[in-house]
Amino acid sequence: MRLAHAESLADATLKHAREIGAAPLAVVVLDAGGHPVVVKREDGAGILRVEIATAKAYGALGMGMSSREIATRAERQPVFFGTLAAVTGGRLAPAPGGVLLRDAAGTVVGAIGVSGDVSDVDERCILEGTRGAEPDGPVTDRAGD
Amino acid sequence: MRLAHAESLADATLKHAREIGAAPLAVVVLDAGGHPVVVKREDGAGILRVEIATAKAYGALGMGMSSREIATRAERQPVFFGTLAAVTGGRLAPAPGGVLLRDAAGTVVGAIGVSGDVSDVDERCILEGTRGAEPDGPVTDRAGD
Amino acid sequence: MRLAHAESLADATLKHAREIGAAPLAVVVLDAGGHPVVVKREDGAGILRVEIATAKAYGALGMGMSSREIATRAERQPVFFGTLAAVTGGRLAPAPGGVLLRDAAGTVVGAIGVSGDVSDVDERCILEGTRGAEPDGPVTDRAGD
Amino acid sequence: MRLAHAESLADATLKHAREIGAAPLAVVVLDAGGHPVVVKREDGAGILRVEIATAKAYGALGMGMSSREIATRAERQPVFFGTLAAVTGGRLAPAPGGVLLRDAAGTVVGAIGVSGDVSDVDERCILEGTRGAEPDGPVTDRAGD
């Protein structure tokens, strides 16, 4: 995950958020190892939003699926996913807004996470905002699209 | 958040608590970054009350809403909010008694948290006690009033 | 440690700090169990000052001696005291500014910690400020005086 | 600390780093409460660089001085500053590369931290890069300049 690509994806997400009038957001792009490449927190976004956005993206990497899919599974196995919060040291958040990033070959190269509005809007900013945003770079996983 | 203002709000909260015969309370005033400005724990209040009051106030800052509103959302998304305890390192408590503080322009400048009685009473001590307490300083957010 | 007594000691410490023109301080009064009774952070004091003041006071309670005495011992056994930082989970700071509080019978009933200026000034604000401040309540241990 | 200002300062720092051929860096801009506003990690920067840059900036906020000044004090009090790593939960790094940000009135509004090259180069990228970068926004504290 290159900084230039990560930044394009983050900026495209925030641009869409402003267009649809979303609440102030934090956006985080992690590399394949779960380490931050870009973080941006908009004016007025709460002080825990970066942690929550990170946990959505990290959890996606950790489970190999979007945080929306994790949320769906968590509804069916609430006790197990509740314990995962502790097992993972708080690095997993089961709510929409964390999306895998893949290269042209389909390999996971990172993840993007958003927090600030309700989870469905958080995720929509990623999926709508990054559509076609980075033709040469990684693309957002459309599985949950 | 100035110490003098924070202290006025804390004292007004505890004064109301004594007037209505609330259980012994801890009151915490945090600045906008979630760092303590004033903490007071009344005689007889349990040794975890400061942590709980802090988590109510910190969570309000972290999410940009009162801990009552966080509690309401937590009822609709119990698994997600359960994991937030771990995601945030225990800095968020979804129960009434954490209220944002805003300056005259409406900007969040801190939060006040109370723990010791049942959550509704904790919150009432803040909202009733601080009403008009600090005319020149930050005021408690009345959204949950 | 009663709230009224703790608050008198904290206020007397800060009053002395203002009289001698100390840097902005955080003052913390802990009960015998190491739990906060009063915390006050002056305008302009750094956001880690409450943690440091707490660690000075907590360490005094933990070792049964002032943080100045802990600092003296730490100079003779730097590796051991370095590991104590981890052993205690960061609840011990070997620098002047943490002083035991005793009742009339000499029993330890709490501790007071200060951080913000250089450690010698932090401790001086406690020892000078609280001299005679609380005739009916706990008194600061004068061993390091 | 507004996102636009934070981003200008981060970009100016990285621009200077590329001009002088510094090693790949991570740059972090925190608000006054120590919460991230912008994080950027250059291609090739190690996976702990964001944490180290954050600790330099957070420590500066926590102590109210540059991380260079903290490093100088740490040399005189090695045991005390060693324990501060634990006291602060790893949020303080005593090495140059963490600089306070002040508004026109001199109030601390945040801090910028850099890690990736040797500490002197990290700091130079901040101080040289941000010189005049943000005329309407916060400026880097020149005390260590």
Side-chain angles (χ1 to χ4, degrees):
Chain A
M1 175 62 55
R2 309 194 63 157
L3 172 56
H5 291 152
E7 188 146 23
S8 291
L9 294 167
D11 288 347
T13 297
L14 294 182
K15 181 166 178 287
H16 189 76
R18 286 314 107 234
E19 287 169 3
I20 66 171
L25 302 182
V27 59
V28 171
V29 181
L30 307 180
D31 66 18
H35 304 286
V37 181
V38 163
V39 174
K40 300 192 184 196
R41 180 162 58 101
E42 292 189 304
D43 304 346
I47 59 177
L48 284 172
R49 293 299 182 181
V50 171
E51 281 90 338
I52 298 170
T54 300
K56 288 180 181 178
Y58 200 104
L61 288 167
M63 304 292 280
M65 62 187 74
S66 73
S67 65
R68 172 178 291 278
E69 174 65 17
I70 296 174
T72 301
R73 297 193 183 195
E75 283 170 27
R76 295 198 296 264
Q77 296 178 277
V79 178
F80 173 58
F81 277 82
T83 64
L84 281 190
V87 167
T88 64
R91 285 175 290 175
L92 182 150
V99 178
L100 292 173
L101 297 169
R102 297 183 187 274
D103 65 13
T107 304
V108 172
V109 293
I112 182 167
V114 165
S115 179
D117 205 314
V118 296
S119 296
D120 284 343
V121 173
D122 294 342
E123 185 194 49
R124 179 179 158 196
C125 290
I126 299 172
L127 294 177
E128 293 299 316
T130 65
R131 196 182 293 279
E134 190 52 58
D136 307 325
V139 295
T140 50
D141 192 323
R142 297 284 156 185
D145 203 358
Chain B
M1 174 63 56
R2 309 194 64 157
L3 172 55
H5 291 151
E7 189 145 24
S8 291
L9 294 167
D11 288 346
T13 298
L14 294 181
K15 180 166 179 287
H16 189 77
R18 287 314 107 235
E19 288 169 2
I20 67 171
L25 302 182
V27 59
V28 171
V29 180
L30 307 180
D31 66 18
H35 303 286
V37 181
V38 162
V39 174
K40 300 192 184 195
R41 181 162 57 101
E42 292 188 304
D43 304 346
I47 59 177
L48 281 174
R49 291 301 181 182
V50 170
E51 280 89 340
I52 299 171
T54 299
K56 288 180 181 178
Y58 200 105
L61 288 167
M63 305 290 281
M65 62 189 74
S66 73
S67 65
R68 172 178 290 279
E69 174 66 16
I70 295 174
T72 301
R73 295 194 183 195
E75 284 170 25
R76 295 198 297 263
Q77 295 179 274
V79 179
F80 174 58
F81 277 84
T83 64
L84 283 191
V87 167
T88 65
R91 286 175 291 170
L92 181 149
V99 178
L100 293 173
L101 297 170
R102 296 182 186 276
D103 65 13
T107 304
V108 172
V109 293
I112 183 167
V114 165
S115 179
D117 206 315
V118 297
S119 295
D120 283 344
V121 173
D122 294 342
E123 185 193 50
R124 178 179 158 195
C125 291
I126 300 172
L127 293 177
E128 291 301 315
T130 64
R131 198 182 291 280
E134 189 55 56
D136 306 325
V139 295
T140 49
D141 192 322
R142 296 286 156 185
D145 204 359
Chain C
M1 175 63 57
R2 309 194 61 157
L3 172 56
H5 291 152
E7 187 145 25
S8 292
L9 295 167
D11 288 346
T13 298
L14 294 182
K15 181 166 177 287
H16 190 76
R18 288 312 107 234
E19 287 170 2
I20 68 171
L25 302 182
V27 59
V28 171
V29 180
L30 306 180
D31 66 17
H35 303 286
V37 181
V38 163
V39 173
K40 300 192 183 194
R41 180 162 58 100
E42 292 188 305
D43 303 346
I47 58 177
L48 284 172
R49 294 299 183 181
V50 170
E51 280 90 337
I52 299 171
T54 300
K56 289 180 179 178
Y58 201 104
L61 288 167
M63 304 291 279
M65 62 186 74
S66 72
S67 64
R68 170 178 292 280
E69 175 64 16
I70 296 174
T72 301
R73 297 192 182 194
E75 284 170 25
R76 296 198 297 265
Q77 295 177 276
V79 177
F80 174 57
F81 277 84
T83 63
L84 281 190
V87 167
T88 64
R91 284 174 292 174
L92 182 150
V99 178
L100 293 173
L101 297 169
R102 296 182 187 277
D103 66 12
T107 304
V108 172
V109 293
I112 182 168
V114 165
S115 179
D117 206 315
V118 295
S119 295
D120 284 344
V121 173
D122 294 342
E123 185 193 50
R124 179 179 159 196
C125 291
I126 300 172
L127 293 177
E128 293 299 317
T130 65
R131 198 180 292 279
E134 190 54 55
D136 306 326
V139 296
T140 50
D141 192 322
R142 297 286 156 183
D145 202 0
Chain D
M1 174 63 56
R2 309 193 64 157
L3 172 56
H5 291 151
E7 189 145 24
S8 292
L9 295 167
D11 288 346
T13 297
L14 293 182
K15 181 166 178 287
H16 189 76
R18 287 312 108 234
E19 287 169 3
I20 66 171
L25 301 182
V27 59
V28 171
V29 180
L30 307 180
D31 66 19
H35 303 285
V37 181
V38 163
V39 174
K40 300 192 183 193
R41 181 162 57 100
E42 292 189 305
D43 303 347
I47 59 177
L48 281 173
R49 292 300 182 180
V50 170
E51 280 88 339
I52 299 171
T54 300
K56 290 179 179 178
Y58 200 105
L61 289 168
M63 304 291 280
M65 62 188 74
S66 72
S67 65
R68 172 177 291 280
E69 174 66 16
I70 295 174
T72 302
R73 296 195 183 194
E75 285 169 25
R76 295 198 298 263
Q77 294 179 276
V79 179
F80 173 57
F81 277 83
T83 63
L84 283 191
V87 167
T88 65
R91 286 175 293 170
L92 182 151
V99 178
L100 293 173
L101 298 169
R102 294 182 187 278
D103 66 13
T107 304
V108 172
V109 292
I112 182 167
V114 166
S115 180
D117 205 314
V118 296
S119 295
D120 283 343
V121 172
D122 293 342
E123 187 193 48
R124 179 180 158 196
C125 291
I126 299 172
L127 293 178
E128 292 300 317
T130 65
R131 198 181 292 279
E134 191 51 57
D136 306 325
V139 295
T140 49
D141 192 322
R142 297 285 156 183
D145 204 358

